[in-house]
């Protein structure tokens, strides 16, 4: 399995490499190269990584339209792909839209499939699909316990500070974080040294990708202002069901593929939404992201791996 997967990465995947270089961050691409091995396996560029983790996004369990009639099956493929890595990630992040309609049965199915992961530790933030109808009640019941009944949380891992934000609060076209959470964020990072590496994960992009389609967060500037003093901030998002990245000062933004269905490139269609592609191409536009973190050298690499 992993050999097949690696060959595909050579063709379609890419390594994005962020290196500390004096006062700024340098972003470089190297096509194909990381494909030899994935997820921190030995003898490759990711070998010296202090740890790795995987991002899954937009599994949309319950979706059943022509763009993908088997979202359970494609999520299972993502699980198989993660399990196949020689060196397992330290944990998994799910960046929202776990379900399509926030139904109990959909959350059940999601949990059932993710129980198959070898690495059991999964951190969640909600997408707008997970909180519609019941204001996130079911989501909080199931996933809010470690966060004290909230939909946002933070934790530390190997000296890196991880912050999970819910920016699906009071959606009005664009994503929104809201005053309560921004205040919490300020308190959360207040005691951290500026040299602490920060990883933020949230569903809707924290940079303005395409506001016409709601692909941005209206108060993201306030959140980023709170994080401004940190030398290395990585922001991982979902929601747009495709890979995009940007570097702005010390902040690197990255969005992941969905495991359910692709969406059109910004502005390339009359509206956002599930995009039907030929069946044989579907698994090439779905996937996961793995992040290898090399704390000693401030080196962080994101590898986007399609499911096929
Ligand atoms: Zn989605
Ligand atoms: Zn979404």
């Amino acid at each position: 399995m992993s050999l097949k997967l690696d060959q595909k990465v050579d063709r379609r995947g890419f390594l994005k490499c962020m290196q500390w270089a004096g006062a700024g961050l340098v972003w470089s691409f190297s096509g194909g190269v990381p494909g030899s091995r994935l997820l921190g396996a030995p003898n490759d560029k990711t070998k010296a990584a202090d740890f790795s983790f995987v991002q899954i996004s937009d599994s949309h369990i319950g979706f059943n339209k022509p763009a993908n009639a088997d979202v359970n099956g494609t999520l299972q493929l993502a699980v198989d792909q993660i399990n196949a890595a020689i060196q397992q990630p330290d944990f998994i992040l799910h960046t929202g839209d776990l379900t399509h309609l926030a139904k109990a049965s959909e959350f059940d199915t999601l949990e059932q499939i993710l129980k198959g992961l070898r690495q059991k530790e999964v951190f969640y933030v909600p997408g707008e699909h997970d909180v519609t109808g019941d204001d996130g009640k079911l989501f909080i019941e199931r996933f809010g316990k470690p966060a004290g009944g909230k939909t946002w949380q933070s934790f530390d891992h190997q000296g890196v500070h991880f912050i999970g934000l819910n920016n699906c609060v009071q959606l009005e076209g664009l994503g929104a974080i809201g005053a309560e959470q921004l205040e919490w964020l300020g308190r959360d990072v207040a005691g951290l040294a500026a040299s602490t590496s920060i990883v933020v994960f949230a569903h809707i992009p924290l940079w303005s990708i395409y506001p016409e389609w709601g692909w941005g967060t209206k108060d993201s500037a306030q959140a980023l202002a709170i994080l401004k003093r940190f030398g290395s901030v990585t922001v991982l998002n979902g929601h747009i069901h495709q890979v995009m990245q940007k570097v702005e000062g010390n902040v690197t933004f990255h969005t992941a593929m969905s495991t359910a269905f692709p969406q059109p490139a910004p502005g390339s269609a009359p509206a956002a939404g599930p995009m039907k592609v030929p069946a044989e191409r579907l698994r090439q536009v779905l996937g996961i992201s793995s992040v290898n973190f090399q704390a000693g050298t401030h080196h962080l690499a994101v590898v986007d791996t399609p499911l096929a």
Side-chain angles (χ1 to χ4, degrees):
M1 160 107 196
S2 77
L3 186 68
K4 219 195 297 172
L5 192 159
D6 292 346
Q7 287 164 345
K8 291 294 185 189
V9 169
D10 278 339
R11 196 160 58 80
R12 300 196 50 85
F14 46 97
L15 175 69
K16 284 163 288 171
C17 215
M18 192 177 78
Q19 288 171 312
W20 191 252
L25 292 169
V26 177
W27 186 260
S28 62
F29 291 83
S30 76
V33 181
S36 59
R37 287 171 210 250
L38 290 172
L39 302 178
N43 302 321
D44 77 326
K45 288 192 165 184
T46 62
K47 183 185 174 191
D50 285 352
F51 67 94
S52 69
F53 61 93
V54 168
Q55 178 189 6
I56 301 179
S57 204
D58 296 273
S59 42
H60 284 266
I61 298 303
F63 178 84
N64 186 18
K65 300 240 167 66
N68 184 357
D70 185 17
V71 294
N72 297 355
T74 46
L75 178 60
Q76 183 62 52
L77 275 179
V79 167
D80 294 345
Q81 187 165 304
I82 296 165
N83 286 346
I86 297 162
Q87 198 177 315
Q88 285 292 289
D90 284 17
F91 53 86
I92 319 286
L93 302 179
H94 194 308
T95 47
D97 284 355
L98 288 56
T99 66
H100 199 57
L101 295 171
K103 288 182 185 164
S105 59
E106 296 173 349
F107 284 117
D108 285 344
T109 302
L110 175 99
E111 286 188 287
Q112 213 44 51
I113 294 170
L114 294 190
K115 263 185 198 153
L117 284 162
R118 282 165 67 195
Q119 171 53 264
K120 302 294 180 201
E121 188 144 43
V122 187
F123 297 90
Y124 300 88
V125 286
E128 79 281 10
H129 283 265
D130 302 314
V131 295
T132 42
D134 72 345
D135 254 347
K137 196 169 155 281
L138 271 184
F139 179 91
I140 290 170
E141 263 171 34
R142 287 168 190 246
F143 306 111
K145 223 173 262 166
K150 301 280 188 197
T151 48
W152 54 88
Q153 63 185 307
S154 70
F155 61 93
D156 293 292
H157 187 79
Q158 308 263 15
V160 178
H161 190 65
F162 287 80
I163 301 166
L165 295 178
N166 171 8
N167 59 352
C168 301
V169 180
Q170 297 157 351
L171 274 190
E172 289 162 22
L174 292 172
I177 300 164
E180 184 190 1
Q181 217 177 151
L182 287 167
E183 208 177 288
W184 168 84
L185 178 62
R187 285 197 309 273
D188 182 68
V189 300
L192 297 176
S195 58
T196 309
S197 292
I198 306 280
V199 175
V200 176
F201 58 107
H203 181 62
I204 298 173
L206 288 177
W207 46 302
S208 188
I209 293 181
Y210 199 65
E212 293 86 338
W213 286 357
W215 290 2
T217 300
K218 70 176 171 200
D219 49 3
S220 59
Q222 286 164 261
L224 294 169
I226 293 168
L227 302 174
K228 204 177 156 74
R229 68 186 176 89
F230 294 98
S232 166
V233 178
T234 303
V235 180
L236 304 173
N237 301 125
H239 186 60
I240 67 168
H241 298 215
Q242 62 197 286
V243 172
M244 294 194 77
Q245 60 85 26
K246 179 178 115 147
V247 178
E248 199 172 281
N250 293 344
V251 186
T252 300
F253 300 88
H254 183 274
T255 63
M257 284 179 274
S258 162
T259 67
F261 55 83
Q263 293 205 59
S268 70
M275 181 170 74
K276 182 146 173 46
V277 298
E280 66 276 12
R281 217 176 95 73
L282 179 63
R283 289 174 186 190
Q284 294 166 18
V285 291
L286 305 179
I288 57 168
S289 302
S290 56
V291 182
N292 297 286
F293 203 92
Q294 216 175 298
T297 56
H298 298 272
H299 180 101
L300 188 147
V302 184
V303 180
D304 297 294
T305 314
L307 296 183

